[in-house]
Amino acid sequence: MNAALSQRETIFVEEAEILAHDAHPGDQYTLRLQAPQIAARALPGSFVHLTVNAQRPMRRPISIMRVDAQKGYVDLLYKVFGEGTALLAQNGIGDTLNLMGPIGKPFEFHADKKRPLLIGGGVGMPPMIFCADVLRQDTNYQPFVILGSEVPFPFQSQPSEFMVPGMPGGVIAAMPLIEQWNIPSRLTSTQGYPGCHDGYVTDLARHWLDSLADEERHEVEIFSCGPHPMLEAVARLAKEYDLPCQVSLEEFMACAVGGCAGCVVQVQTEQGPAMKRVCVDGPVFDAYAVF
Amino acid sequence: MNHDELELLRTDFCGMDFQTPLVLLSGCVGFGEEYTRVVGYSNRDVGAVCLKGTTLEPRLGNPPHRIFETPMGMLNAIGLQNPGSRQVVDTILPELDFAETRFIANLSGSTLEEYVEVARIFDDSPIDAMEINISCPNVKEGGVTFGNDPEMSARVVAACRAVTDKPLITKLSPNQTDIADNARRCIEAGTDGFAVINTLMGMAVDIESRSPVIGNNQGGLSGPAIKPIALLKVHQVYQVAREHGIPIIGQGGVNSAEDAIEFLIAGASAVGVGTALFYDPLICAKINAGIVAYMNRHGLANVAQITGSLRLNDAGGSCS
Ligand SMILES: Cc1cc2nc3c(=O)[nH]c(=O)nc-3n(C[C@H](O)[C@H](O)[C@H](O)COP(=O)(O)O)c2cc1C
Ligand code: FES
């Protein structure tokens, strides 16, 4: 059956009030929006398509970082990148933004892959945080989170209370929210931030993978979101260790419902190369099909 | 909207019964089902939906980036990504709900023969009408290279005319010297209607990399930025088309009921909405309501009374 036909009425349009809008170093902002319909249905990997300002009527896709289905809000993290996001940053508490969501095919967890490795880079961190929030609610999983950033992290890091095998000496910085969830995390940067691993997310992932016993390593599945070169490196790492790997991609979007084919990425399929729409065929793809 | 209001919007286009004068434009709404993902959206809010440009064989389309926002508009160079006409007729059309609206195929090709083959395939299908896209700026062959040459435009129209009795709508390019002359030739060649205008060719440059942002280097400009150009072209084509009773789907930057009414006044019988759907997926219901309010305010009984009601200023120049 036509994929779209089975998905009638799955994307909601909400006039969402801004509940919080906080600036962080490096032109990063966290945004909390009242959008109960979207909050009730979003999954890790889902994004919203939002109107930033009447002067720039084209919407911007932004991944969802967290939802509270009870209170009906969604949290987003974005970085000012161009005129659209600069205008978005000017909105204040009490203003409303028009949101479409939740959109996209989410990450899929597999019960036999008990050790999800979540790797997020820059504004690719949010979907990893959403993954961690969902995984913490299922005792089957023992996730480990690695976050990398070349601008200051949009949160105050803290020394981790968890021992993580394979971590080089001094690599102790963690994200407080994820610590609260009893999930170990570590941070990386080449900017020399204290407690962070000096290098790339994939270097730290390698340390961790090497420290695992073979049976443990067979239980790892990698989930990742971040800049394209980082995802390429993550995909290479997955191949090297022969691990399954799902990546969430970004592309400019117009409709975000599958109607314009403006957001495609080339993937390998059994029938040969194909152009898949990041908005509705993704944003989550099998890394082996993309890279 | 109540029954009487719905009746006001009912519009005849090339013998087709459009429940409203709005038409969703090719390339913006996939193959007719995509926008139904959105709660509150309905294909019943429009008179017709134009499907994505379809070629004989499947096409992968252009490399990314394919779209980019520009001031009050956007560039696109999709490159006619589509699964091929056979696939559209065999697997997509059977899943469309023809009770909801009229569906129009968008015929595209690189050669005259390809247009004809695609027209033949759609002729033997439940599709309501066909739009001949001789104005796509984003492919190397065919498309706008045919549309900018009146002789070639007429040949494509005549060749498609020979293989189908379904309504044929010719989609004209704004990227040509004399759109009215082209329209005249297409009428002689047997077109039943026009779509005016397709996108204008444009470019955007990334000043850091010094490369065009669009993978295909150039793209088609759409959205509110092109509306004044589109309005004048509709007016010019209407001068030629009205004496033959050939209706026009006016399009290019429609983003409100007021925009739609401007196009009707300039000579359109129906009005296309493309880029504005990206801004607001629920816009069609709002445009319908705005047109009804206008009609009530002016005591109008049907949309056709607005079509071509433009009153030119006596002191002004001619618009051709
Ligand atoms: C993303 C995109 C894809 C398009 N693809 C097609 C196409 O396949 N065939 C066609 O005839 N026109 C195509 N068009 C042109 C539109 O149908 C329409 O004529 C044009 O965008 C002007 O209307 P608008 O300003 O309301 O979008 C496309 C436009 C956009 C924005
Ligand atoms: S943005 Fe239109 S198909 Fe993805």
Side-chain angles (χ1 to χ4, degrees):
Chain A
M1 185 159 97
N2 181 342
L5 204 57
S6 61
Q7 292 181 23
R8 278 197 162 194
E9 310 204 7
T10 51
I11 299 173
F12 291 76
V13 182
E14 296 193 78
E15 203 59 52
E17 184 182 340
I18 299 179
L19 302 177
H21 199 179
D22 298 313
H24 304 279
D27 269 342
Q28 302 172 95
Y29 292 82
T30 44
L31 183 58
R32 175 163 295 176
L33 292 155
Q34 187 71 34
Q37 308 269 28
I38 297 171
R41 293 166 181 84
L43 294 168
S46 312
F47 64 94
V48 293
H49 203 35
L50 59 81
T51 305
V52 297
N53 183 294
Q55 289 160 44
R56 284 269 155 180
M58 194 88 114
R59 290 166 184 264
R60 297 294 186 279
I62 300 183
S63 324
I64 298 174
M65 177 159 71
R66 255 191 107 181
V67 299
D68 186 321
Q70 254 83 53
K71 297 201 177 95
Y73 65 73
V74 300
D75 282 347
L76 313 176
L77 166 73
Y78 67 92
K79 187 171 167 19
V80 170
F81 219 80
E83 274 180 74
T85 39
L87 288 165
L88 178 60
Q90 290 172 11
N91 291 288
I93 292 171
D95 291 348
T96 60
L97 298 174
N98 192 276
L99 297 198
M100 291 167 67
I103 309 175
K105 196 167 70 62
F107 286 104
E108 267 179 45
F109 307 115
H110 300 102
D112 60 325
K113 301 293 174 188
K114 292 180 188 152
R115 298 170 195 277
L117 172 58
L118 313 180
I119 305 179
V123 285
M125 288 185 275
M128 298 300 108
I129 293 166
F130 200 166
C131 284
D133 197 5
V134 166
L135 289 168
R136 78 184 163 111
Q137 296 164 42
D138 186 339
T139 50
N140 177 53
Y141 295 104
Q142 301 160 50
F144 174 44
V145 184
I146 300 176
L147 301 176
S149 184
E150 294 309 307
V151 295
F153 287 88
F155 50 82
Q156 188 68 48
S157 68
Q158 70 177 55
S160 179
E161 287 170 13
F162 298 95
M163 287 288 296
V164 177
M167 290 302 101
V171 177
I172 54 163
M175 180 179 184
L177 182 65
I178 298 182
E179 285 272 311
Q180 264 177 42
W181 293 341
N182 282 318
I183 293 174
S185 64
R186 288 295 185 273
L187 309 181
T188 75
S189 178
T190 62
Q191 304 296 317
Y193 302 135
C196 297
H197 175 66
D198 182 13
Y200 295 120
V201 286
T202 40
D203 304 333
L204 202 60
R206 191 180 292 277
H207 284 299
W208 182 70
L209 289 169
D210 287 341
S211 76
L212 298 178
D214 283 352
E215 334 61 274
E216 294 172 329
R217 207 158 39 234
H218 284 135
E219 295 173 341
V220 174
E221 176 159 16
I222 303 179
F223 301 85
S224 189
C225 184
H228 204 84
M230 184 198 99
L231 293 181
E232 241 177 311
V234 169
R236 267 200 308 276
L237 183 82
K239 276 181 200 161
E240 191 184 320
Y241 286 84
D242 196 21
L243 299 171
C245 179
Q246 298 172 41
V247 292
S248 175
L249 304 181
E250 290 191 341
E251 184 48 73
F252 295 144
M253 290 185 191
C255 69
V257 300
C260 73
C263 63
V264 298
V265 57
Q266 182 163 338
V267 302
Q268 295 305 323
T269 69
E270 277 159 25
Q271 291 83 40
M275 290 297 201
K276 294 283 184 192
R277 299 161 299 182
V278 171
C279 62
V280 293
D281 301 322
V284 176
F285 290 93
D286 175 2
Y288 289 80
V290 179
F291 296 103
Chain B
M1 205 166 279
N2 67 36
H3 179 77
D4 288 349
E5 290 173 331
L6 285 175
E7 272 312 302
L8 281 182
L9 291 174
R10 203 165 270 286
T11 301
D12 174 83
F13 193 90
C14 296
M16 288 180 281
D17 182 19
F18 282 5
Q19 56 211 345
T20 96
L22 301 188
V23 175
L24 298 184
L25 296 178
S26 180
C28 301
V29 290
F31 285 95
E33 259 306 311
E34 282 72 6
Y35 263 95
T36 65
R37 292 171 201 257
V38 178
V39 178
Y41 168 93
S42 173
N43 279 340
R44 294 183 190 273
D45 287 334
V46 297
V49 174
C50 296
L51 307 183
K52 174 66 188 171
T54 304
T55 50
L56 190 56
E57 300 298 330
R59 288 203 189 180
L60 278 180
N62 289 328
H65 303 300
R66 288 179 169 186
I67 52 172
F68 187 65
E69 187 177 27
T70 57
M72 290 317 282
M74 64 176 285
L75 289 168
N76 91 79
I78 310 298
L80 292 176
Q81 179 179 343
N82 79 92
S85 45
R86 256 297 33 113
Q87 181 82 3
V88 172
V89 167
D90 291 346
T91 69
I92 295 179
L93 295 192
E95 305 233 315
L96 293 178
D97 186 351
F98 282 76
E100 288 184 338
T101 192
R102 308 272 61 80
F103 290 101
I104 300 175
N106 185 265
L107 316 180
S108 303
S110 305
T111 62
L112 184 88
E113 293 71 28
E114 185 174 359
Y115 279 96
V116 173
E117 243 357 88
V118 177
R120 224 191 273 278
I121 289 169
F122 276 108
D123 182 59
D124 187 21
S125 85
I127 205 82
D128 291 296
M130 300 180 212
E131 178 175 65
I132 309 177
N133 175 14
I134 41 169
S135 41
C136 178
N138 299 323
V139 287
K140 290 195 181 64
E141 292 148 357
V144 77
T145 51
F146 286 178
N148 286 349
D149 175 352
E151 175 62 33
M152 203 55 217
S153 301
R155 281 178 58 196
V156 176
V157 173
C160 293
R161 176 78 291 163
V163 298
T164 186
D165 290 328
K166 291 190 194 263
L168 269 184
I169 300 159
T170 306
K171 188 159 179 177
L172 298 177
S173 162
N175 304 295
Q176 58 179 322
T177 321
D178 188 350
I179 198 169
D181 178 49
N182 195 321
R184 198 172 294 117
R185 303 288 296 270
C186 291
I187 293 170
E188 285 162 16
T191 195
D192 299 305
F194 286 113
V196 184
I197 56 175
N198 208 320
T199 53
L200 288 123
M201 287 188 233
M203 182 165 85
V205 177
D206 178 332
I207 60 169
E208 298 307 321
S209 67
R210 303 193 186 189
S211 296
V213 179
I214 294 287
N216 184 52
N217 293 325
Q218 66 176 48
L221 181 65
S222 64
I226 71 169
K227 195 188 80 175
I229 299 170
L231 271 172
L232 181 58
K233 302 279 179 202
V234 166
H235 171 67
Q236 291 169 343
V237 172
Y238 181 67
Q239 303 307 308
V240 176
R242 78 171 145 197
E243 36 197 273
H244 303 273
I246 305 279
I248 300 168
I249 307 172
Q251 57 195 277
V254 172
N255 193 29
S256 67
E258 290 74 16
D259 293 341
I261 294 163
E262 275 190 82
F263 273 95
L264 294 170
I265 293 172
S269 295
V271 178
V273 180
T275 303
L277 265 187
F278 306 154
Y279 303 162
D280 178 3
L282 307 180
I283 196 169
C284 290
K286 297 169 193 169
I287 296 180
N288 286 333
I291 295 175
V292 167
Y294 177 85
M295 292 176 71
N296 285 333
R297 198 146 39 82
H298 289 265
L300 300 169
N302 56 60
V303 173
Q305 292 178 319
I306 315 176
T307 298
S309 59
L310 185 72
R311 301 171 188 149
L312 289 178
N313 301 316
D314 294 339
S318 94
C319 292
S320 54

